[in-house]
Structure formats: C-alpha cells, structure tokens
Amino acid sequence: MSPRALTPLQPAATPPELLRNFCIIAHIDHGKSTLADRMLQITGVVSDRDMRAQYLDRMDIERERGITIKSQAVRMPWATADGTFALNMIDTPGHVDFTYEVSRSLAACEGAVLLVDAAQGIEAQTLANLYLALENDLHIIPVLNKIDLPAADPDKFAAELAGLIGGKPEDVLRVSGKTGVGVEELLDRIVEQIPAPKGDPDAPARAMIFDSVYDSYRGVVTYVRMIDGKLEPRERIQMMSTKATHDLLEIGTSNPEPVPTKGLGVGEVGYLITGVKDVRQSKVGDTITTHRKPATDALPGYTDPKPMVFSGIYPIDGSDYGDLREALDKLKLSDASLQYEPETSVALGFGFRCGFLGLLHLEIITERLSREFDLDLITTAPSVTYEVTTDTGEKISVTNPSEYPDGRVAEVSEPVVKVGILCPKEYVGTVMELCQTRRGNLLGMDYLSEDRVELRYTMPLGEIVFDFFDHLKSRTQGYASLDYEPAGQQTADLVKVDILLQGEPVDAFSSIVHREKAYAYGTMMTERLRKLIPRQQFEVPIQAAIGARIIARENIRAIRKDVLAKCYGGDITRKRKLLEKQKEGKKRMKMVGRVEVPQEAFIAALSGDVEGKDKK
C-alpha cells in the first residue's frame, strides 16, 4: 500500500470535482487486469492478505483462461496535494467478441487509459478500442505496460504510440503492472488530466444502467452511473422505458466489495438493489429516475449490438428445456449482447436459436450454461444471417439453413465485415494469400512503423467465423492480430447443402456455403458421419445434395448375421437359398427401417466444425 493511500472513502456522496471516472482499454493479454490489481493494492482498497491475481475477474472461466469477459467497476481513494479523490475504474475485456462490453463502459467514463504491451506494441484491438474511446470524446492517457520484460522496447513503441494519438514519446507513461513501477505516477496523471464529471445536482435524478448481474439471494443487482440529481436509500425509483417502479432497498459503491452508502450524487458510479427477481425489469442502457420527481427526458442509452454468428443450443435431455430458458434469461442480464429465440429441430427437438458476437462469445456462453446451470447441451454448427430473395420478389432472412426456401432463389446476399490485420512485414504475403482464398478484397495497407503493417480487407463474415483466425495465427507464427466490424451485405453465389440419411434430410447437418466449397463440405460431412453412425441391420447411404442433385455419397455397410454357420458341407443350393432369404429380409428391412443417429454422433459431427477454436 502506498503511504498516500487512505482508508477507503467514507460512505457519503462525493462532490463531482473530487471524482475521476476512467476505464482501462487494451488488446487482449496486454496486462489490464494485472495493472488493475496493482492499483487496488497501491490505493489500499484490497489488503495484501486478501490480494490474488486477476482480483476483479470473478468467474472461474475468466481465471482459467486468463481473459476478462465482464467489465468490473471499482472505487479507489487517492490523495494528492489538492485533496483526496475518488477514482472510479472500470476494467474492460480486450477481445473483439466483447467490444459491446467495452463500449458500455466507455459511456460511463470521462477518460481512458490506453495500455500497450512494451514487448508487442500496438495490436488490432488496441486501435479498435482507441477509436471507440475517441468516438465517445474521452481523454486518452497513453501507457506502456510490461517494461520489466527482457524483450520490452519502450522507446520504439512509445514513438509508435505517440505517432498514433498525436503527442511526444516522452509523454507516454511507462509502467509495470507486475512490479508496480510507475503506477503511482499513472494515478497522479489520471487525477491531473481526466476531467471531473459534469451534471446538474438540483435536477431530477437520472442514472444510466451500464451493467447488471443476477444474485440468487438478492435478486437483480444494477450498476449505474449518475448523470444528474441524486438517489438515496429507501427512495422509490422508476425505470423510464417500462415505467416500472421499485423501492430502493440498498445503494452503494464497489470498493471492490459492495459497501452501502447514504446515496449517490452527480458523476458517481455505484450499484442499486431493489429486490426484483424478474431479470427483464433491469435493461442495460435504461434510465433510472425517482418516482416522486421523475425526469422528463431519458438518456440516449446504447445501440443494440448486432449478432454476428448464430447457433442453435439444444438440451440433450428434452425435459431440461425450461431450465435452459431460465438460464438464458439470467445470462442475458449479465451479458446484454446475447440474443435468443425458441426454435425446434426435427432431429434435436426443442431449443433456442442464439445470436453471438463471435465464436469465443459462443464458446463462453455454452461453457457458462454448462457450469453455472449444470446443463448438458448440443450446439449446432455456427452460421450467419443471409438475405434470400425468391423469384416472386419475397425477401427472407435466414439464420438457420432449415429456413432456406426450397423454391427457386433469385439472389442471396451475405454479411460482409471490414477486417483489420496487424502483422510483421515479413508475413504480408502469406496473410494476403490466406485472405484471397477466403474471398477477401484488399482495401488498403499502412505501415505503422518500419516493421509492422496494417492490412485492411472486406471479407464475407461466413468465411472468418470458423477457422480463419487459427489459420492466420499458424501462418504468422502467432504474431498477427485481428479485428473486424460489420460492413453491410453483398450478393454471392451461395447454395444450401443438405445431408441425407436413407434419403431423408437431417436438418441439423445442413449448411449454407459458397458454391465452390459445396463439394468439399459435402464430402467432409458424409465421411465424418460414416465413421460416427453405428452400422445398422441394413445398408445406409449418406448423401450430400444441393437441391435434387447429389454431390457426395458414402455407405454404411450392413451388419450381416452369418446364416451359413450351421451349414457344414452339403449342397451349394441350400446355402444360396439361405443367402437369398437373408437378402430379401434386408431389402424389406431397408424399406421400413429408420436410421437412429446417436446423441454422441450428433455432438461429434457438429462440434467437429468448431473444435479447437481458441481465443482470438
């Protein structure tokens, strides 16, 4: 603990001029959570005895993977010559799939600490988060982290960072989140440079919900940033979007554990507990006001995130459907970017069609459903939204191959994304080759420094959601970083490939792919199912088809009983008679028999497309 750290602030509203609201933004694995740990220790809000690595990462899955999934707000005291300031810090995720989480945190702040690894330099998500912060008109404090590493080159990357945001290399702070070097100077810089929050203390209360979580004992815990007026305990509050009213049972700040206070004033960040158990009552981006003296104008809120990847989630046991719905409701509260709606599948039964911001987001949500709610689930192969125009001019939005129209299709358009790839200059050729094989169009190429290049492409989203990032990492020996954002739609030559078992289509295995890749998908899927489906009493054909045209086929050979076992010696006609009788039985069985695909085969076949997808 620094000698300038005080005991945590007394529970009372702090005047706005002594408040500083900021967040830490960076690429994944550049040391945000480690720097936040040192700040918590130096300011004294967490004692050395209670300290642990990644203190603000509360989920087991975050600690295991070493990544931040949810933003966490914490209040810290810091004494300077001008008085004792309250610093409200929000530690944000760094992965491209959790950009929505970052954008909500930025709206609750006046400044941002832009963190760059002194050994790796600027990465794709560094740029994406910087542009987000500039759009929100935040004051940026550039910081180089990990200066204690042997591979660190602070002078080179300080010049690169200064060139990016404008300024002098000597203005870039150099810190080590691990050892604590330079962190006190960073806290002083935050107090000096980040502006105090502005708001009208006498106006009707207005607070924006920037996050919320579900607590099984206390109900919905809502995190807010006060804009105008003040809120006090036992007051009756009103949600401006739904007009629902609740009694404020507890109000306080996170220090980093919840500490009840006598109220929240202008610019303060804290939590509210109303005892509400219905998760839909607390919508992220909503404005809270008082019931007695309500505000007339709601705050702008947030734009709703657009899902990039769709996947079906089904319970292995159909009786778990109600539990899955309840679990998704609760997860939606802590992850506002998750979208879902009920759907049914002939093969898999009742489930939900879910929209995610990317493959890691899908992976994290399914793992949280399994761990936190003890559910056994199947997820179907991820797909994106296609716009299909039929011959009659009707437009259909297709998120699932089973929704693809059977009639004549005039045009299909697919979502396109703008992709930013940062890599060392020696890998430019291999990256360009990879992007061209995925139908990418080069928009431009910029040298950020002598040896680092940014490549900008437009690419179909369907081409990058599966294994693009894995190939990019392997071709650049792990040095490339990727960021993408939506860029509209484009028409393309896309077809639906159906997988037929015994002539019957299995909707869970259907996929919409580019015509050039249809044959490869068909042969891969038929071969995989031939290995996974157990042999039946009769021969089973597995076919891949585009409409009525078969493009690939595999056969599962029949299990044949040895009917000649009892014929030792004797006339050949007797043996032939037995074999013919067996052949007739197999033919009759094939006409009435159904192929049951075991659950394990479904899981293996569907997860084969997405296995091994690691964090970007």
Side-chain angles (χ1 to χ4, degrees):
M1 185 193 295
S2 165
R4 291 163 56 191
L6 304 176
T7 52
L9 294 163
Q10 294 306 307
T14 306
E17 58 272 13
L18 292 178
L19 285 172
R20 297 291 183 269
N21 298 328
F22 72 99
C23 59
I24 305 175
I25 54 174
H27 187 80
I28 192 167
D29 203 28
H30 277 208
K32 294 177 299 302
S33 297
T34 311
L35 178 62
D37 287 348
R38 292 297 77 71
M39 287 183 171
L40 295 178
Q41 266 189 307
I42 288 170
T43 56
V45 292
V46 178
S47 66
D48 290 344
R49 186 184 66 182
D50 297 330
M51 193 64 206
R52 62 172 194 265
Q54 289 175 264
Y55 190 87
L56 293 176
D57 291 344
R58 302 298 170 91
M59 283 185 270
D60 291 342
I61 193 168
E62 288 180 311
R63 307 183 67 75
E64 284 169 20
R65 289 174 175 243
I67 59 173
T68 302
I69 294 165
K70 271 200 67 58
S71 298
Q72 296 287 350
V74 61
R75 180 181 168 110
M76 307 176 293
W78 188 242
T80 68
D82 298 324
T84 303
F85 289 81
L87 309 181
N88 288 314
M89 174 186 71
I90 302 177
D91 178 26
T92 64
H95 193 279
V96 61
D97 282 10
F98 303 108
T99 303
Y100 184 61
E101 197 81 21
V102 179
S103 67
R104 298 204 320 268
S105 305
L106 293 172
C109 299
E110 279 78 34
V113 172
L114 180 67
L115 205 61
V116 172
D117 188 326
Q120 294 180 9
I122 294 164
E123 303 270 18
Q125 202 57 27
T126 313
L127 292 175
N129 286 337
L130 171 63
Y131 296 146
L132 270 179
L134 292 173
E135 280 171 26
N136 281 273
D137 204 21
L138 300 191
H139 179 84
I140 309 291
I141 297 178
V143 178
L144 279 178
N145 191 23
K146 304 189 184 181
I147 57 166
D148 55 311
L149 289 181
D153 190 349
D155 294 335
K156 174 186 170 185
F157 294 124
E160 200 175 285
L161 195 49
L164 177 67
I165 63 171
K168 300 174 187 169
E170 52 269 24
D171 292 337
V172 178
L173 280 172
R174 301 172 187 206
V175 306
S176 167
K178 191 174 181 182
T179 63
V181 172
V183 178
E184 291 196 13
E185 289 83 350
L186 172 57
L187 291 168
D188 286 339
R189 183 81 61 97
I190 288 165
V191 168
E192 286 166 26
Q193 294 190 357
I194 292 179
K198 293 180 174 64
D200 185 352
D202 302 318
R206 288 198 303 171
M208 182 184 280
I209 302 176
F210 69 87
D211 202 2
S212 49
V213 294
Y214 184 82
D215 185 293
S216 50
Y217 298 104
R218 315 192 75 181
V220 178
V221 180
T222 306
Y223 291 94
V224 297
R225 153 75 198 266
M226 291 298 299
I227 306 295
D228 295 323
K230 64 176 188 287
L231 289 174
E232 293 173 346
R234 297 294 163 189
E235 206 167 8
R236 196 157 181 77
I237 59 168
Q238 178 175 310
M239 304 288 177
M240 291 195 75
S241 65
T242 60
K243 302 297 180 193
T245 60
H246 312 290
D247 286 323
L248 201 49
L249 304 180
E250 184 176 311
I251 187 167
T253 57
S254 301
N255 294 3
E257 305 308 323
V259 176
T261 69
K262 296 171 185 171
L264 293 176
V266 170
E268 290 200 276
V269 174
Y271 68 89
L272 312 175
I273 295 176
T274 56
V276 172
K277 297 285 185 186
D278 183 0
V279 294
R280 288 176 289 274
Q281 296 275 0
S282 188
K283 187 170 177 283
V284 166
D286 198 357
T287 304
I288 293 178
T289 186
T290 54
H291 182 58
R292 183 173 50 83
K293 188 184 172 187
T296 51
D297 299 325
L299 295 162
Y302 307 107
T303 54
D304 283 333
K306 286 186 178 166
M308 308 279 268
V309 177
F310 289 86
S311 178
I313 295 184
Y314 296 85
I316 287 178
D317 182 352
S319 61
D320 287 340
Y321 177 73
D323 295 338
L324 176 58
R325 177 190 288 279
E326 196 177 318
L328 283 168
D329 274 346
K330 288 176 182 172
L331 272 193
K332 168 80 175 168
L333 189 72
S334 62
D335 186 349
S337 54
L338 173 65
Q339 298 188 11
Y340 57 92
E341 58 185 36
E343 77 164 0
T344 55
S345 158
V346 177
L348 301 174
F350 291 100
F352 291 90
R353 190 81 189 155
C354 302
F356 305 94
L357 299 184
L359 273 194
L360 180 71
H361 191 207
L362 183 159
E363 205 179 316
I364 295 294
I365 290 293
T366 47
E367 199 163 331
R368 286 185 69 188
L369 286 168
S370 301
R371 285 185 185 205
E372 296 173 26
F373 302 97
D374 200 24
L375 292 167
D376 292 324
L377 304 169
I378 299 178
T379 56
T380 61
S383 64
V384 297
T385 310
Y386 298 98
E387 297 290 334
V388 180
T389 308
T390 62
D391 276 0
T392 57
E394 183 188 1
K395 287 188 182 295
I396 302 168
S397 183
V398 175
T399 58
N400 186 345
S402 62
E403 298 167 0
Y404 198 85
D406 293 328
R408 291 184 65 80
V409 172
E411 187 179 85
V412 185
S413 63
E414 61 183 346
V416 183
V417 288
K418 276 185 185 169
V419 177
I421 300 169
L422 265 75
C423 66
K425 63 181 180 186
E426 56 266 30
Y427 298 112
V428 168
T430 55
V431 171
M432 286 178 129
E433 184 191 348
L434 173 64
C435 292
Q436 279 160 6
T437 61
R438 299 304 179 99
R439 298 188 285 135
N441 291 320
L442 183 65
L443 293 177
M445 188 166 89
D446 292 322
Y447 276 80
L448 295 179
S449 64
E450 288 177 16
D451 53 357
R452 288 171 69 74
V453 183
E454 183 190 15
L455 294 162
R456 297 189 310 282
Y457 274 87
T458 56
M459 291 174 71
L461 179 61
E463 293 283 350
I464 67 168
V465 294
F466 287 117
D467 56 358
F468 178 77
F469 190 72
D470 288 359
H471 283 285
L472 180 67
K473 281 287 186 193
S474 63
R475 291 191 186 205
T476 60
Q477 298 179 346
Y479 282 110
S481 60
L482 170 78
D483 178 53
Y484 58 87
E485 60 181 39
Q489 300 266 344
Q490 74 175 16
T491 55
D493 187 11
L494 300 168
V495 291
K496 177 190 176 189
V497 179
D498 283 314
I499 303 297
L500 313 176
L501 280 182
Q502 193 79 345
E504 291 289 320
V506 183
D507 60 347
F509 297 136
S510 299
S511 183
I512 298 169
V513 295
H514 195 266
R515 194 178 292 274
E516 290 175 4
K517 299 193 176 178
Y519 174 71
Y521 176 79
T523 51
M524 179 267 294
M525 223 40 202
T526 50
E527 195 176 322
R528 184 179 289 165
L529 287 170
R530 178 178 61 77
K531 292 174 183 171
L532 292 170
I533 295 174
R535 288 168 68 183
Q536 312 285 316
Q537 293 280 355
F538 49 91
E539 188 180 12
V540 178
I542 306 170
Q543 298 164 309
I546 300 173
R549 186 164 64 90
I550 305 298
I551 58 169
R553 172 176 174 140
E554 293 277 350
N555 286 341
I556 300 174
R557 290 174 55 211
I559 300 173
R560 294 180 65 135
K561 183 180 174 185
D562 187 3
V563 291
L564 304 182
K566 58 187 177 184
C567 294
Y568 44 92
D571 189 5
I572 186 67
T573 54
R574 174 157 169 72
K575 292 183 182 177
R576 196 168 286 142
K577 182 181 171 188
L578 285 169
L579 287 171
E580 287 297 324
K581 189 177 176 186
Q582 184 188 42
K583 193 174 175 184
E584 286 297 316
K586 294 284 180 196
K587 196 183 289 182
R588 198 164 53 247
M589 198 180 280
K590 189 170 184 177
M591 289 166 64
V592 296
R594 286 188 68 244
V595 183
E596 293 294 333
V597 182
Q599 212 77 53
E600 300 77 40
F602 262 118
I603 297 167
L606 293 174
S607 62
D609 274 333
V610 291
E611 67 187 354
K613 296 295 163 280
D614 210 331
K615 53 183 182 284
K616 291 177 189 163

